[in-house]
RNA sequence: GCGCCCGUAGCUCAGUCGGAUAGAGCGUUCGCCUCCGGAGCGAAAGGUCACAGGUUCGAAUCCUGUCGGGCGCACCA
């Protein structure tokens, strides 16, 4: 059987043709609570204009001309609206047993996220990036894309150099047993070095510069890897995994920078002025694509011969789009789920384990909104390259910009000590969740795991439930809340459904048994309302993927949990519960059970897309 | 100065393509476990959707302007 909404759309279109308005675009939407009907359409408004009659009259006419599709019980004009009631039996049955899937896309999508400087522990601002990127990758994969997650390692930057130099400068030695986690330990040295610049600036400058040169030659890879591994531990503990680490030093040594510049140098927009402000530097004129800029010239290579970050990124983006090769890879680690993590490497191979990287149809860069300007310039370079591939990459690359996370209204700053690490927050979140689980459910077997799922879930959800372009001011009570608009609210709804299904299993009712015995005709309006929300899931996922907006999935999860909780607690006119599942009479019981099972699976799927666990008990 | 983003309940936020009475959570007040999990549910109170014009049968949503706030405009990244 066709999906009801699609069938209704077609039926109304046919009726519109019959009353003299062929080709009308019909939208069918859920009827707001308190109005008659399950689905409805405002199409009469549009027809009124075309046909020169009033909308209510048209609505009546269309109703008369309608031939109702299977599964729809009734159509009626409600003022200018045309509303429909579905047949509960068929509708709920379809929702429960024949879940729709998102339409299958099949593009290669490269998502770059995290990309934290490997010189200190990651903070909650990075958490937002990572969680947003991770959820986006999951959602894109859910609609059928082949997603590759890359994490860019800026190992040749000043920040990495300062941290590494700090170790020798302070003659520090890391003691794994007694010292803090390595990235925290190193981060502290980094801050100390910044402070020491006041009295010993010149020597530190010399030392840092020397380290930078060694980094560029890839000589200090082990040192960088050590911090990186500590950072990855943090992300893995949040349920975040990657496919590939791309090192900036490899981009340079592997020739991506050179090849990118070769392409750019052929562009008529790129020049090497021999006089003026930019004498001796390689500059790109972006005015054609970015008009109105005060300074339309962007430096790619400085007059001293050093490439700007933008130039390296251009090479990297070209490579992502498949304009050229240049990187080789090797296996780096096995991640908790078993998914292998690869890394770029000077002595790797092009196709390790038969894998192939980059060659993206679509490129998504998760990076904070303050980088919008340089991101735009990098993207513009793709267009200015003058190559068809570059133009294609330009059209298919997106900057997923998100606003910053502030701490009590203040911008985070490691140097000023205004910062909050992910590890610290995650630990506290888990601790709080554990206290609640112990109180509510003392005998729970895997309490540690559940506390993690709930605590980390709350944290992730807090980062994802709103739009990316809104600033998040981090506050403990809000970020770690276990009630209200939160992950635990959704998880609780899920656990509640699981509990009913456990009772069913104990009574010997499994899926096939339930399907054989279910009497969907016994269902009513309450089930239709719940099923209506369930039905929406695939379109929500599609929309979230198209808009790169994981918050739409988060909001949906809340909607579904609310609908389910409302159903669960519903009382009839006599004040007694009238939606019980296991205490309902046979037939009705099984039909409700199947719907509850679908609710459970949908809640779990929505949480999964957000990277949040769905414990069966909590 | 130029550019981008934001402004919806006391606070934090939802609100695809313009559609029905603008919805949640937190906080406040009241009610609900002799009923499958009360981390829940129901109800009350709380709104000139920043402001002013415009388009439209219809605007929180689209357009223009104004006012507030944030961010960005390096031979840094």
């Amino acid at each position: 059987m066709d999906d009801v909404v699609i069938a209704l759309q077609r039926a109304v279109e046919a009726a519109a043709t019959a009353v003299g308005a062929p080709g009308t675009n019909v939208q069918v939407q859920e009827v707001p609570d308190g109005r008659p009907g399950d689905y409805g359409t405002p199409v009469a408004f549009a027809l009124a204009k075309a046909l020169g009659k009033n909308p209510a009259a048209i609505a009546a006419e269309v109703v008369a001309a309608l031939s109702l599709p299977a599964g729809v019980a009734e159509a009626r004009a409600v003022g200018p609206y045309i509303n429909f009631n579905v047949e509960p039996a068929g509708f709920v049955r379809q929702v429960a047993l024949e879940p729709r899937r998102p339409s299958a896309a099949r593009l290669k999508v490269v998502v770059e996220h995290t990309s934290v400087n490997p010189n200190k522990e990651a903070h909650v601002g990075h958490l937002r990036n990572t969680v947003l990127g991770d959820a986006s990758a999951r959602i894109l994969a859910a609609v059928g894309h082949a997603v590759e997650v890359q994490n860019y390692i800026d190992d040749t930057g000043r920040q990495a150099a300062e941290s590494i130099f700090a170790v020798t400068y302070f003659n520090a030695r890391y003691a794994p047993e007694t010292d803090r986690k390595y990235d925290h330990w190193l981060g502290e040295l980094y801050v100390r070095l910044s402070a020491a610049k006041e009295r010993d600036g010149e020597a530190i400058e010399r030392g840092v510069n020397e380290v930078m040169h060694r980094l560029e030659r890839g000589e200090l890879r082990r040192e960088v890897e050590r911090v990186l591994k500590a950072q990855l531990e943090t992300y893995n503990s949040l349920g975040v995994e990657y496919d590939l680490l791309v090192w900036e030093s490899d981009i340079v040594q592997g020739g991506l920078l050179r090849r990118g510049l070769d392409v750019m140098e052929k562009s008529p927009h790129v020049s090497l002025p021999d006089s003026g402000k930019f004498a001796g530097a390689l500059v790109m004129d972006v005015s054609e694509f970015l008009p109105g800029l005060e300074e339309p010239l962007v430096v790619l290579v400085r007059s001293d011969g050093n490439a700007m970050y933008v130039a390296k990124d251009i090479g990297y983006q070209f490579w992502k789009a498949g304009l050229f090769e240049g990187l080789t890879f090797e296996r780096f680690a096995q991640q908790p789920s078993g998914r292998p993590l690869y890394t770029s490497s000077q002595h790797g191979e092009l196709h390790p384990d038969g894998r192939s990287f980059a060659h993206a149809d679509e490129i998504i860069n998760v990076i904070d909104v303050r980088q919008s300007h340089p991101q735009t310039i990098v993207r513009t370079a793709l267009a200015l390259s003058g190559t068809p591939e570059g133009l294609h990459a330009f059209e298919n690359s997106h900057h997923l910009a998100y606003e910053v996370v502030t701490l009590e209204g203040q911008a985070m700053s490691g140097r000023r000590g205004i910062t909050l690490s992910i590890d610290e927050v995650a630990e506290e979140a888990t601790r709080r969740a554990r206290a609640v689980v112990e109180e509510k459910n003392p005998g729970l077997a895997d309490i540690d795991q559940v506390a993690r799922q709930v605590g980390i879930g709350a944290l992730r959800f807090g980062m994802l439930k709103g739009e990316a372009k809104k600033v998040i001011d981090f506050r403990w009570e809000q970020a770690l809340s276990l009630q209200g608009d939160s992950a635990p609210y959704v998880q609780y709804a899920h656990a509640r459904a699981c509990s009913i299904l456990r009772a069913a299993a104990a009574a010997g009712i499994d899926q096939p048994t339930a399907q054989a015995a279910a009497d969907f005709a016994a269902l009513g309006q309450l089930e239709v309302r719940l099923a209506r929300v369930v039905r929406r899931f695939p379109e929500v996922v599609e929309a979230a993927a198209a808009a790169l907006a994981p918050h739409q999935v988060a909001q949906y999860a809340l909607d579904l949990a609310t609908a389910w909780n409302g159903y669960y607690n519903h009382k009839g006119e006599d004040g007694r519960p009238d939606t019980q599942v296991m205490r309902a009479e046979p037939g009705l019981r099984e039909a409700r059970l199947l719907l509850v099972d679908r609710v459970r699976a949908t809640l779990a799927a929505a949480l999964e897309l957000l990277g949040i666990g769905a414990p069966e008990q909590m």
Side-chain angles (χ1 to χ4, degrees):
Chain A
M1 191 162 73
D2 278 345
D3 177 72
V4 209
V5 171
I6 293 164
L8 274 174
Q9 243 163 16
R10 282 203 285 262
V12 176
E13 274 163 16
T17 304
V19 300
T24 306
N25 180 32
V26 175
Q27 41 176 324
V28 174
Q29 49 202 210
E30 292 178 21
V31 170
D33 285 344
R35 299 275 168 179
D38 302 316
Y39 290 94
T41 175
V43 72
F45 287 111
L47 295 183
K49 184 150 197 179
L51 302 177
K53 300 183 200 166
N54 84 69
I58 303 256
E61 252 183 73
V62 172
V63 168
L66 257 175
S67 67
L68 290 180
V72 177
E74 192 191 350
R76 66 166 98 70
V78 180
Y81 290 90
I82 303 165
N83 289 0
F84 309 93
N85 276 98
V86 297
E87 283 166 2
F91 181 70
V92 177
R93 187 183 183 289
Q94 187 175 49
V95 168
L97 299 180
E98 302 163 23
R100 300 180 305 145
R101 313 202 61 80
S103 62
R106 201 66 204 169
L107 295 176
K108 170 73 182 276
V109 182
V110 167
V111 177
E112 179 198 332
H113 69 75
T114 304
S115 305
V116 175
N117 272 315
N119 79 313
K120 59 183 182 312
E121 76 280 7
H123 59 61
V124 293
H126 302 126
L127 175 66
R128 187 174 194 181
N129 180 309
T130 296
V131 161
L132 185 61
D134 184 55
S136 299
R138 288 166 185 263
I139 291 166
L140 288 163
V143 299
H145 293 301
V147 178
E148 177 177 305
V149 179
Q150 298 187 4
N151 182 357
Y152 179 79
I153 311 303
D154 182 4
D155 62 325
T156 65
R158 182 154 195 102
Q159 310 222 36
E162 290 197 4
S163 283
I164 288 170
F165 176 67
V167 176
T168 44
Y169 183 77
F170 293 115
N171 198 18
R173 173 153 297 169
Y174 183 67
E177 291 79 20
T178 53
D179 281 325
R180 299 193 283 161
K181 193 156 158 277
Y182 186 72
D183 47 349
H184 291 253
W185 179 82
L186 193 66
E188 193 186 321
L189 291 178
Y190 169 73
V191 172
R192 272 176 65 194
L193 188 77
S194 295
K197 280 179 195 165
E198 290 196 8
R199 44 165 219 279
D200 197 13
E202 267 182 48
I204 291 175
E205 184 62 24
R206 266 199 312 277
V208 169
N209 278 333
E210 204 222 311
V211 171
M212 279 181 81
H213 287 122
R214 295 181 64 197
L215 282 168
E216 268 162 34
R217 295 193 294 268
E219 290 173 15
L220 297 168
R221 182 107 168 189
R222 291 276 162 259
E223 281 71 11
V224 179
E225 270 185 14
R226 197 167 181 186
V227 207
L228 179 61
K229 280 180 176 161
Q231 292 176 330
L232 288 173
E233 210 178 288
T234 299
Y235 312 134
N236 285 343
S237 77
L238 300 171
V240 177
E241 297 186 342
Y242 308 85
D243 296 303
L244 182 66
L245 306 172
V246 179
W247 296 63
E248 185 163 294
S249 59
D250 289 332
I251 285 179
V252 176
Q253 296 201 348
L256 262 51
L257 170 62
R258 188 61 259 157
R259 272 169 242 211
L261 288 173
D262 285 346
V263 172
M264 293 313 295
E265 278 164 3
K266 294 196 188 96
S267 163
H269 302 91
V270 172
S271 62
L272 198 90
D274 48 18
S275 65
K277 181 174 163 191
F278 295 114
L282 187 72
V283 296
M284 171 172 73
D285 184 344
V286 296
S287 54
E288 188 173 310
F289 277 77
L290 300 174
L293 244 52
E294 201 172 313
E295 176 52 77
L297 294 182
V298 175
V299 175
L300 298 179
V301 180
R302 295 189 293 200
S303 48
D304 66 8
N306 284 319
M308 299 285 285
Y309 162 79
V310 171
K312 295 176 191 168
D313 206 14
I314 289 171
Y316 180 28
Q317 301 303 324
F318 277 172
W319 172 78
K320 279 185 191 170
L323 262 71
F324 42 67
E325 300 290 350
L327 292 182
T328 55
F329 316 94
E330 62 185 67
R331 221 174 160 116
F332 186 79
Q334 176 102 341
Q335 298 171 102
S337 75
R339 179 172 166 185
L341 173 61
Y342 294 86
T343 180
S344 63
S345 160
Q346 285 311 299
H347 22 262
E349 38 188 322
L350 189 56
H351 299 292
D353 305 328
R355 293 281 305 252
S356 172
F357 296 103
H359 296 276
D361 300 307
E362 208 164 324
I363 298 169
I364 291 156
N365 298 320
V366 183
I367 175 156
D368 83 66
V369 69
R370 293 171 302 183
Q371 306 257 20
S372 291
H373 183 63
Q375 278 293 304
T376 306
I377 287 175
V378 169
R379 194 166 160 265
T380 303
L382 299 173
L384 293 180
S385 70
T387 66
E389 300 93 332
L391 202 61
H392 183 262
F394 168 76
E395 284 161 359
N396 296 288
S397 81
H398 312 273
H399 173 204
L400 174 43
Y402 61 94
E403 262 293 353
V404 294
V405 178
T406 59
L407 290 179
E408 288 170 24
Q410 297 190 80
M412 265 182 275
S413 157
R415 291 206 168 112
R416 287 187 295 143
I418 305 169
T419 184
L420 189 53
S421 74
I422 299 178
D423 290 321
E424 197 179 336
V425 176
E427 193 187 332
E428 176 66 13
T430 305
R431 203 185 59 72
R432 289 189 193 197
R434 197 194 157 96
V436 175
V437 178
E438 273 174 348
E439 178 203 327
K440 309 256 183 194
N441 208 339
L444 200 56
D446 43 0
I447 189 160
D448 286 318
Q449 204 212 332
V450 171
R452 279 203 71 76
Q453 286 181 313
V454 172
I456 302 294
L459 197 54
R460 289 189 61 134
F461 197 88
M463 290 285 151
L464 289 173
K465 72 177 172 186
E467 288 185 284
K469 62 187 174 189
K470 301 219 166 153
V471 176
I472 292 179
D473 192 29
F474 185 91
R475 286 180 216 153
W476 285 102
E477 323 78 59
Q478 222 167 290
L480 271 42
S481 170
L482 305 185
Q483 52 183 39
D485 280 350
S486 70
Y489 175 82
V490 180
Q491 290 170 319
Y492 182 77
H494 172 266
R496 175 179 257 171
C498 287
S499 157
I500 293 171
L501 290 159
R502 264 196 310 279
I509 308 173
D510 58 9
Q511 263 276 341
T513 316
Q515 285 196 34
D519 176 14
F520 285 96
L523 299 176
Q525 210 49 36
L526 293 169
E527 284 81 15
V528 169
R529 282 174 47 150
L530 178 56
R532 222 169 44 163
V533 182
V534 174
R535 199 207 73 95
R536 214 156 66 204
F537 182 57
E539 18 191 271
V540 168
V541 177
E542 278 177 32
L548 291 176
H551 83 279
Q552 293 181 10
V553 174
Q555 293 293 333
Y556 171 79
L558 291 172
D559 278 355
L560 180 55
T562 298
W564 160 230
N565 280 332
Y567 175 82
Y568 177 90
N569 280 301
H570 195 271
K571 292 179 177 63
E573 283 174 14
D574 57 0
R576 307 205 47 91
D578 59 355
T579 52
Q580 289 188 308
V581 177
M582 289 311 289
R583 297 181 189 212
E585 60 209 60
L588 174 59
R589 175 181 62 194
E590 283 78 4
R592 284 180 173 167
L593 210 46
L594 290 167
L595 177 58
V596 170
D597 192 35
R598 177 55 50 200
V599 169
R600 175 202 59 74
T602 308
L603 286 169
L607 287 171
E608 168 73 24
L609 292 181
L610 303 171
I612 296 171
E616 295 188 4
Q617 300 184 58
M618 59 189 277

